[in-house]
Amino acid sequence: MTPVKTETKEFQAEVKKLLDIVIHSLYTEKDIFVRELISNAADALEKFRHQSLLEEEVFDSHVPLEIKIDPDKDKHILTITDTGIGMTREELESNLGTIAHSGSKTFLTELAEAAKKDVNLIGQFGVGFYSAFMAAKKVRVQSRSYRKDAEGYEWSSEGTGNYTLKPAPGIHRGTKIILELKDDSHNYSEKESIKQIIKQYSTFVPFPIIMDGETLNTIQAIWTRNKNDIKEEEYTEFYKYVGNAFDEPSYKLHFSTDAPLAINALLFIPKENMEKFGFGRISSGVNLYCQKVLIEQHSENILPEWLRFVKGVVDSEDLPLNISRQALQDSALVAKVKKIITKRLLKFLEEEAKSNPEMYLEFWNNFGIYLKEGITSDFNYKDEIAKLLRFESSKTKAGKVVSLAEYVERMKEDQKNIYYINGPNREAIESGPYIEAFKKQDIEILYTLEPIDDFVMNHLGLFDEKKLVSAERADLDLPEAKKGEDESATETEKSLGDDESKKLTEWMKDILKDRVKDVTVSKRLVDSPAMVVNPDAYMTSTMERVLQASGQDFHESGKKNLELNVNHPLIFQLSTLKDKDTDFALEVANQILDNALIQAGLVVDPRKIVERSYKIMERAIIEK
Ligand code: ADP
Ligand code: MG
């Protein structure tokens, strides 16, 4: 007999670190490793079931699809066996020796932090297998792929720096995981305690979990059951199962349709946004079924990408059972299902927002960013998403929001447009020049506090046939201010006449011609001396900043209009100064522009500003 060749391999660095965390820092909630291994077994069985529909010949086709649990109390060993898709030698190596997800440092730190708080999170990060080392001092994985020509292999490790691989001839299709339990984990080899855990965690596994000939779970497709018969706890348990989730869902949508397509869907929205945990982009969370057979896990075809935070199941009887992944992408039928599901979900959110605005606000704060992504990246659902948008405004308290529909309802009689202004926060916006006219005329203005918001408004363009207009626009056309008693008192005192205004703007335009496109007399400013506005209707300062930061080149950067408040003492004095002391007036003019650019949030050269402001201060002191 030739000796079996055993190869020793080193774990990828990230796996080593991860194992170190698992072995040394996680002591609580050890039970979850059982759930993780069973969920992997169930995944493997689902994959096999689908694959066997696609391929003519699979290995061991007669073997029933099931999971077996064998606790050995005397030897302190727990064995979990599935008859799923199995792994080839290469798959063992890449699936159990590396982390497929971007194995970055930040990911691991985040994981370590998150896991300290709640070990349940480990499955979320796609590293559930390694949780086996919480309870086992040695893990052996024997696997035989469903592929006809594959060979059986055994992977084995003690969770330290390396693992071994050796051939394991003569085994059946699927995977057997043999755990040699640590001294403090012997309970996992006791029948009663393992049974308890499985009952708790694995109710929804769609394959029989068998121990000693007894099936521990009731196999059911909850989404095909009648809504009225399902308890809330069952929904929550199912959510945790399909979403591999640790939290409770915030929203649940269970519905079925018959026409034009027969669909059963059960969708959940989590409470927590996993992308906020620093995990990077999460993958889609909805599984696609056909007649209870899993066609695609984490399907990217069934909801648009920007709804990737939604978890659950979509089952359509109308899809062909043996459809392949590639065919899914191009299938018109699938596209139809996608459209139906997406519209239904958006409609559902709209209703929820109406019936429970507080709960919706929580959702909005966590997941609103995805809806904004939807508007900017997906033309198809713009109008539906627009109804779900929420913003703070000049008429809300800090942290409170309005919908565009509410805004429209409150619009003034002669107001044609919906106005918005971007800023880093409420205070910055409210102390800036852009909202002065709005305040004075009591016109509501939306505060867009995130850089993406201006892109959202721009993509949206219209809401309820009203234009969305940035308050930074040069041609801002506000409803006529009421003439008469509130006619500003300052104007009579110290205000430039038309002639002087014209001379001043022309002079400034000339000296600032490299820096601005035009200088005009403002019809809007009340307290501030000046502001910059955008002659380009499709660009705002925030958008410019974002594009600049991302290194994109765009037309004539910096060419804005400068609007002057000719009722302001500074501007009034500047008009005389320009003839008396042109050099100094020039410094002041540049400083006014720089200040206005700063208020628009645009980058200006701080050295020049500082230098110039000292000059101006010096002069002010001398004149005192
Ligand atoms: P995830 O399940 O989120 O992908 P895991 O760490 O739990 O992450 O598992 C890593 C990978 O190992 C799985 O994606 C799968 O490819 C493979 N794997 C784990 N357990 C099994 C099994 N019982 N049968 C087949 N493949 C498995
Ligand atoms: Mg897993």
Side-chain angles (χ1 to χ4, degrees):
M1 215 176 91
T2 47
V4 174
K5 195 171 156 272
T6 304
E7 277 179 85
T8 302
K9 302 238 165 194
E10 214 172 316
F11 282 117
Q12 180 196 31
E14 281 83 0
V15 177
K16 279 190 206 168
K17 283 199 201 110
L18 174 67
L19 283 168
D20 192 62
I21 296 170
V22 170
I23 294 171
H24 297 112
S25 336
L26 308 180
Y27 302 108
T28 56
E29 300 177 81
K30 268 192 192 169
D31 293 3
I32 65 117
F33 87 87
V34 180
R35 181 186 71 180
E36 292 302 330
L37 296 185
I38 289 185
S39 112
N40 283 350
D43 289 352
L45 286 159
E46 302 244 38
K47 282 181 200 159
F48 174 75
R49 182 154 66 181
H50 186 223
Q51 217 52 40
S52 63
L53 295 169
L54 299 178
E55 292 178 29
E56 270 179 22
E57 272 194 292
V58 291
F59 178 64
D60 267 356
S61 60
H62 63 285
V63 173
L65 301 182
E66 62 193 18
I67 301 168
K68 279 219 178 86
I69 311 289
D70 295 297
D72 184 333
K73 198 168 168 236
D74 302 328
K75 291 195 183 125
H76 309 302
I77 286 176
L78 172 66
T79 305
I80 300 175
T81 312
D82 68 69
T83 51
I85 196 160
M87 285 177 272
T88 61
R89 185 188 179 288
E90 288 70 33
E91 284 165 341
L92 279 167
E93 218 180 314
S94 67
N95 294 342
L96 309 184
T98 61
I99 298 176
H101 303 282
S102 59
S104 70
K105 274 206 189 98
T106 41
F107 160 61
L108 272 167
T109 338
E110 289 296 333
L111 173 70
E113 283 309 309
K116 265 182 215 150
K117 280 186 225 127
D118 192 336
V119 186
N120 276 296
L121 278 169
I122 200 159
Q124 283 278 334
F125 288 96
V127 291
F129 169 77
Y130 300 104
S131 67
F133 288 97
M134 288 170 77
K137 56 185 181 212
K138 182 170 180 183
V139 178
R140 289 194 287 147
V141 179
Q142 297 174 346
S143 200
R144 166 69 158 89
S145 166
Y146 76 102
R147 286 169 224 276
K148 271 265 158 192
D149 51 358
E151 313 255 358
Y153 270 89
E154 178 176 306
W155 177 104
S156 166
S157 176
E158 291 174 12
T160 46
N162 45 44
Y163 60 92
T164 60
L165 277 174
K166 67 175 184 203
I171 59 176
H172 276 299
R173 184 195 70 230
T175 303
K176 185 188 288 266
I177 303 195
I178 305 155
L179 303 143
E180 295 177 21
L181 298 167
K182 289 183 188 171
D183 291 348
D184 63 359
S185 301
H186 287 173
N187 55 315
Y188 298 109
S189 60
E190 282 157 24
K191 275 190 186 140
E192 266 321 300
S193 77
I194 198 86
K195 191 167 160 180
Q196 250 357 84
I197 298 170
I198 289 170
K199 288 223 166 202
Q200 186 187 344
Y201 284 130
S202 308
T203 330
F204 294 101
V205 173
F207 300 93
I209 304 175
I210 300 166
M211 186 166 76
D212 262 352
E214 181 195 356
T215 302
L216 301 180
N217 56 333
T218 41
I219 301 125
Q220 50 186 351
I222 185 174
W223 60 91
T224 59
R225 282 168 53 194
N226 187 325
K227 269 203 234 184
N228 301 326
D229 302 339
I230 305 173
K231 292 199 208 83
E232 216 47 50
E233 299 90 78
E234 289 181 90
Y235 277 127
T236 303
E237 278 309 309
F238 181 68
Y239 161 73
K240 288 187 180 171
Y241 172 72
V242 309
N244 213 343
F246 67 101
D247 57 351
E248 299 201 342
S250 62
Y251 288 125
K252 170 203 81 207
L253 172 62
H254 187 182
F255 73 96
S256 49
T257 61
D258 295 323
L261 289 168
I263 298 171
N264 269 308
L266 176 50
L267 304 175
F268 299 94
I269 293 173
K271 270 216 173 76
E272 305 288 346
N273 178 354
M274 289 311 292
E275 282 186 12
K276 281 194 185 162
F277 276 102
F279 185 36
R281 220 175 164 75
I282 46 173
S283 51
S284 319
V286 174
N287 299 339
L288 179 62
Y289 284 77
C290 171
Q291 296 165 38
K292 300 185 210 172
V293 174
L294 182 70
I295 304 293
E296 193 182 30
Q297 194 168 29
H298 304 305
S299 176
E300 294 188 348
N301 301 301
I302 216 63
L303 279 179
E305 214 187 330
W306 49 271
L307 284 174
R308 59 189 177 278
F309 59 94
V310 178
K311 302 193 184 265
V313 165
V314 171
D315 191 327
S316 177
E317 286 175 26
D318 292 325
L319 295 178
L321 251 177
N322 57 352
I323 189 166
S324 73
R325 297 257 162 101
Q326 272 69 27
L328 273 174
Q329 268 170 26
D330 313 322
S331 158
L333 214 52
V334 174
K336 225 179 194 170
V337 175
K338 177 176 179 175
K339 196 163 171 194
I340 294 171
I341 304 282
T342 307
K343 294 228 167 185
R344 186 71 179 75
L345 183 65
L346 295 176
K347 184 91 199 137
F348 165 79
L349 286 172
E350 193 192 333
E351 287 159 4
E352 286 294 325
K354 270 194 201 126
S355 64
N356 190 346
E358 251 140 71
M359 191 168 150
Y360 182 76
L361 181 59
E362 216 167 282
F363 160 79
W364 172 251
N365 287 336
N366 257 329
F367 297 99
I369 185 76
Y370 296 91
L371 301 183
K372 292 176 184 176
E373 184 185 320
I375 290 200
T376 56
S377 65
D378 189 342
F379 196 77
N380 295 313
Y381 306 97
K382 242 172 43 162
D383 295 337
E384 285 88 348
I385 307 174
K387 295 180 188 154
L388 299 173
L389 296 176
R390 294 294 182 273
F391 297 102
E392 291 196 27
S393 89
S394 54
K395 300 249 160 120
T396 66
K397 295 216 173 68
K400 296 275 185 281
V401 292
V402 288
S403 65
L404 293 176
E406 282 168 283
Y407 180 102
V408 168
E409 218 161 87
R410 298 206 278 248
M411 269 167 63
K412 302 222 143 186
E413 230 171 82
D414 50 353
Q415 184 184 338
K416 290 189 212 77
N417 304 322
I418 299 172
Y419 298 104
Y420 64 93
I421 180 71
N422 187 273
N425 54 57
R426 226 184 141 85
E427 294 71 38
I429 290 176
E430 295 194 329
S431 64
Y434 295 99
I435 69 158
E436 288 177 359
F438 293 87
K439 259 198 234 157
K440 190 172 169 200
Q441 296 184 43
D442 192 37
I443 297 170
E444 181 167 18
I445 175 164
L446 298 171
Y447 298 166
T448 59
L449 300 176
E450 314 237 8
I452 191 184
D453 289 342
D454 283 12
F455 293 91
V456 171
M457 295 305 209
N458 206 3
H459 274 262
L460 199 55
L462 287 177
F463 179 82
D464 196 9
E465 291 170 24
K466 319 272 183 302
K467 270 199 198 127
L468 293 156
V469 174
S470 159
E472 285 177 16
R473 263 174 73 164
D475 59 349
L476 194 70
D477 180 20
L478 289 179
E480 232 17 71
K482 294 265 176 301
K483 293 270 189 266
E485 47 183 309
D486 83 314
E487 189 77 347
S488 124
T490 48
E491 202 169 304
T492 46
E493 267 174 56
K494 284 190 165 182
S495 166
L496 289 183
D498 288 352
D499 257 12
E500 288 156 306
S501 298
K502 192 161 176 253
K503 273 189 207 143
L504 179 64
T505 49
E506 269 168 12
W507 173 77
M508 273 183 87
K509 190 177 167 180
D510 185 47
I511 60 162
L512 298 173
K513 64 175 175 294
D514 295 336
R515 306 188 59 201
V516 295
K517 195 163 170 195
D518 202 0
V519 180
T520 60
V521 173
S522 178
K523 291 187 212 134
R524 301 166 47 185
L525 285 170
V526 181
D527 296 320
S528 303
M531 67 178 171
V532 290
V533 290
N534 289 301
D536 176 353
Y538 296 103
M539 188 58 72
T540 68
S541 299
T542 303
M543 291 165 75
E544 230 163 75
R545 215 172 51 229
V546 173
L547 293 175
Q548 245 166 4
S550 67
Q552 286 187 55
D553 211 16
F554 58 97
H555 67 98
E556 297 242 70
S557 71
K559 285 286 185 168
K560 297 187 174 292
N561 290 2
L562 182 67
E563 278 195 9
L564 298 179
N565 179 0
V566 293
N567 300 325
H568 195 281
L570 181 61
I571 303 300
F572 183 80
Q573 297 289 352
L574 183 62
S575 162
T576 6
L577 186 69
K578 75 169 193 308
D579 304 323
K580 279 202 305 202
D581 185 346
T582 314
D583 285 350
F584 188 58
L586 200 122
E587 302 282 4
V588 175
N590 272 292
Q591 188 73 23
I592 288 173
L593 174 59
D594 278 344
N595 286 359
L597 287 168
I598 291 174
Q599 281 184 307
L602 291 166
V603 194
V604 272
D605 181 356
R607 280 169 313 166
K608 273 192 193 154
I609 297 181
V610 170
E611 211 175 284
R612 201 190 300 119
S613 76
Y614 279 143
K615 254 192 227 167
I616 297 172
M617 277 154 67
E618 216 175 284
R619 169 91 171 235
I621 286 175
I622 292 166
E623 284 182 358
K624 281 281 158 197

